[in-house]
Amino acid sequence: MNRQILDASLIANEVIDSWKKRGEKGLICKLDIEKAYDSVNWKFLMRVMQKWAGFFSSSRGLRQGDPLSPYLFIMGMEVLSAFIRRAVEGGCISGCRIQRGRGQAVNISHLLFADDAITASGLRINLAKSEIIPVGEVEEILEMAVELGCKVGKLPSTYLGLPLGAPNKAGSVWDGVEERMRWKLALWKRQYISKGGRIALIKSTLASMPLYQMSLFRMPRVVARRLEKLQRDFLWGGGTLLGKWVWRFANAKEEMWKRVLVAKYGQEEFGWRTKKANGVFGVGVWKEVMKEADWCWDKMNFKVGKGTKIRFWKDPWCGEVELARRFPQLFNMAAQRSATVGELWDHNSDLGSWNLRFLRGFNDWELNMVVELLQILRSQRITMEEDLALWKGGKNGKFEVKEAYELLISHSTPAFSEKGHLGGERSFKACVLCVGSYLGEGSHA
């Protein structure tokens, strides 16, 4: 019959909408079957099965996990459906009549899907999950609830895990999706997960969480932005927290934790960072931290003190860009390409001066570059202080998580047009999958 779970939710919401538009009163009795497969009365089921020619007797009960259980349970629900239709024909209950003009009318009296139904056929009701929901002003609703032994609910509610009777554009109906997403993220944030791992989790898990509800309900723009921000915070937030350790190591002196890391991994780049943590064994805490090193160093530059730990051409110490990148032709001519700043400073003169050496003389068209370089160096001096690594976005060069996070997303967040439409399944999947494009993976599905 090609029935889907979404069919029942669509019908239920359209019934409520019809009642509301016509100003009619209605009552929805939402019942849940207790221990659905275990509570089917076996004698009742045997009587139904005995009508089948050649059916053999059995003394076993109905149990969850048995491949036949869903089919046998459906048989009981079909008998229940027949009883309800008989009650409608007898005038005991009435459904909702849906009709447009003089077109063909459809009467909806009950919806059955899995164990969401009303009682009959030896089935026991799970009163804790069952409720009656009034549509409009229904008289004696409390007395009816007492008679049935269930609670009184209200709209909007949920049915089959989807909103029931909610306004079309209400963002509150997505609170459950957001809550489940936050719960998942809270579990993941307790672990050290690499950026690649965070992207994989976002694509495999977070991307699928809203899809069930999006199959029937349009997602409001404000909700799409909230969910996208959750993913963005998870992707970059963990990186910024771990990245702070990279900055701390570069500026730490003789702290115990740094001495432990240096003893275990060694150090390189004049002691600014540890060597790469290799191997697949161990808890891997610092190994995960070091995966954030590349983008962290892209956001740092140096303040020259003694100049013994900063390379003149290859490190960013006078301006945002390395001198080798700013003056590539002069760098290719330099005699000491890997020299430190201190090695190219001449202490013999009274105030000190720069002593740059090149492999050949300059051509006329190269003199302007030399003049520009000398003008930059004119304001730079060697001191007796220690060289420092400064964070570009922080106050006084100090690392701050908030500034680091904003610095990351300012270059990574895709811009959504205010006039664009966010709400369909495709648009939200674009929000989800855009995290791959942050790291150059936008071409993957």
Side-chain angles (χ1 to χ4, degrees):
M1 294 180 62
N2 195 29
R3 291 179 59 188
Q4 298 182 14
I5 189 172
L6 296 174
D7 300 351
S9 180
L10 173 63
I11 295 172
N13 277 281
E14 290 300 322
V15 165
I16 295 174
D17 181 68
S18 296
W19 272 337
K20 287 185 174 182
K21 286 183 177 179
R22 296 197 298 254
E24 298 178 358
K25 300 177 183 179
L27 186 67
I28 300 172
C29 188
K30 190 175 71 171
L31 303 181
D32 184 88
I33 305 302
E34 180 181 357
K35 296 181 180 180
Y37 297 153
D38 292 337
S39 63
V40 177
N41 185 281
W42 185 247
K43 292 183 179 180
F44 161 80
L45 189 60
M46 290 296 296
R47 292 185 61 183
V48 175
M49 298 291 288
Q50 284 172 0
K51 295 185 178 180
W52 292 10
F55 176 72
F56 58 89
S57 60
S58 175
S59 60
R60 296 293 299 274
L62 194 59
R63 294 291 182 269
Q64 293 197 33
D66 191 316
L68 286 177
S69 294
Y71 300 100
L72 298 177
F73 178 75
I74 289 174
M75 292 177 56
M77 299 300 284
E78 287 297 330
V79 174
L80 165 61
S81 182
F83 285 161
I84 295 177
R85 286 194 298 268
R86 186 179 302 176
V88 172
E89 294 171 357
C92 299
I93 60 174
S94 63
C96 176
R97 183 180 179 87
I98 299 178
Q99 184 178 21
R100 180 180 177 87
R102 297 183 179 181
Q104 184 177 1
V106 177
N107 191 67
I108 305 297
S109 59
H110 63 285
L111 296 171
L112 305 178
F113 194 93
D115 57 348
D116 289 280
I118 60 176
T119 184
S121 307
L123 300 175
R124 294 195 299 271
I125 300 175
N126 186 345
L127 296 177
K129 296 183 179 179
S130 302
E131 59 184 0
I132 54 175
I133 304 174
V135 179
E137 295 293 333
V138 178
E139 299 176 356
E140 299 181 350
I141 183 68
L142 295 178
E143 290 79 356
M144 191 177 302
V146 172
E147 185 69 23
L148 294 176
C150 60
K151 60 186 178 181
V152 178
K154 63 179 181 179
L155 296 176
S157 182
T158 58
Y159 175 57
L160 300 175
L162 293 173
L164 179 66
N168 187 31
K169 298 181 179 180
S172 59
V173 300
W174 295 88
D175 290 348
V177 175
E178 184 175 350
E179 182 179 353
R180 291 194 299 273
M181 192 174 289
R182 289 183 182 276
W183 181 79
K184 279 286 185 184
L185 291 174
L187 296 178
W188 294 342
K189 287 179 179 179
R190 300 175 185 174
Q191 309 173 40
Y192 285 98
I193 304 175
S194 65
K195 188 175 281 82
R198 292 195 293 270
I199 291 176
L201 287 173
I202 289 173
K203 288 184 176 182
S204 64
T205 304
L206 296 188
S208 62
M209 294 180 72
L211 294 186
Y212 175 52
Q213 188 160 323
M214 290 170 62
S215 300
L216 188 59
F217 296 88
R218 186 181 301 276
M219 180 183 291
R221 178 183 290 121
V222 64
V223 175
R225 288 175 177 171
R226 287 206 311 264
L227 298 185
E228 183 192 11
K229 185 178 184 300
L230 283 177
Q231 298 168 80
R232 192 169 61 243
D233 290 348
F234 172 65
L235 177 63
W236 294 114
T240 55
L241 292 173
L242 296 181
K244 186 173 183 178
W245 286 98
V246 177
W247 176 84
R248 286 191 65 199
F249 184 91
N251 288 277
K253 304 301 180 185
E254 294 296 326
E255 286 84 342
M256 178 61 72
W257 65 270
K258 181 173 182 178
R259 290 163 54 192
V260 171
L261 294 176
V262 171
K264 181 176 181 179
Y265 299 104
Q267 55 185 341
E268 59 186 6
E269 301 291 340
F270 301 106
W272 294 115
R273 64 176 76 186
T274 67
K275 293 182 179 179
K276 185 178 180 180
N278 295 317
V280 296
F281 301 102
V283 294
V285 174
W286 189 250
K287 184 177 181 180
E288 294 301 323
V289 171
M290 287 302 294
K291 291 179 180 179
E292 310 295 333
D294 290 340
W295 72 263
C296 285
W297 279 105
D298 288 340
K299 309 304 181 204
M300 287 191 280
N301 54 21
F302 293 99
K303 180 181 179 181
V304 174
K306 297 178 181 179
T308 57
K309 299 171 60 178
I310 302 173
R311 293 171 298 184
F312 181 89
W313 291 103
K314 298 180 180 180
D315 289 329
W317 63 279
C318 49
E320 299 290 328
V321 182
E322 300 89 342
L323 292 177
R325 292 174 57 191
R326 189 167 181 176
F327 302 99
Q329 291 177 318
L330 296 182
F331 173 69
N332 291 330
M333 296 167 53
Q336 300 167 292
R337 298 180 186 178
S338 299
T340 65
V341 174
E343 290 171 341
L344 298 183
W345 178 258
D346 186 2
H347 295 274
N348 294 327
S349 60
D350 294 338
L351 298 177
S353 62
W354 295 105
N355 183 19
L356 306 184
R357 299 178 183 180
F358 297 89
L359 298 176
R360 63 172 176 81
F362 300 112
N363 296 312
D364 293 342
W365 61 83
E366 296 170 335
L367 293 177
N368 289 334
M369 290 185 293
V370 177
V371 172
E372 183 180 354
L373 174 60
L374 293 176
Q375 288 178 344
I376 294 173
L377 297 177
R378 183 176 300 172
S379 60
Q380 303 293 333
R381 291 287 185 273
I382 296 297
T383 69
M384 297 306 296
E385 298 178 356
E386 296 292 332
D387 298 328
L388 296 177
L390 304 180
W391 188 258
K392 295 179 182 179
K395 297 178 181 179
N396 300 321
K398 294 184 178 181
F399 186 104
E400 295 185 12
V401 173
K402 181 179 180 180
E403 282 73 12
Y405 173 74
E406 292 175 349
L407 189 64
L408 276 173
I409 65 173
S410 64
H411 300 289
S412 308
T413 306
F416 293 101
S417 171
E418 290 296 328
K419 297 182 180 179
H421 175 66
L422 292 178
E425 177 176 343
R426 181 174 299 178
S427 62
F428 180 72
K429 291 181 77 173
C431 294
V432 171
L433 298 183
C434 69
V435 297
S437 65
Y438 296 161
L439 301 180
E441 300 180 3
S443 60
H444 298 285

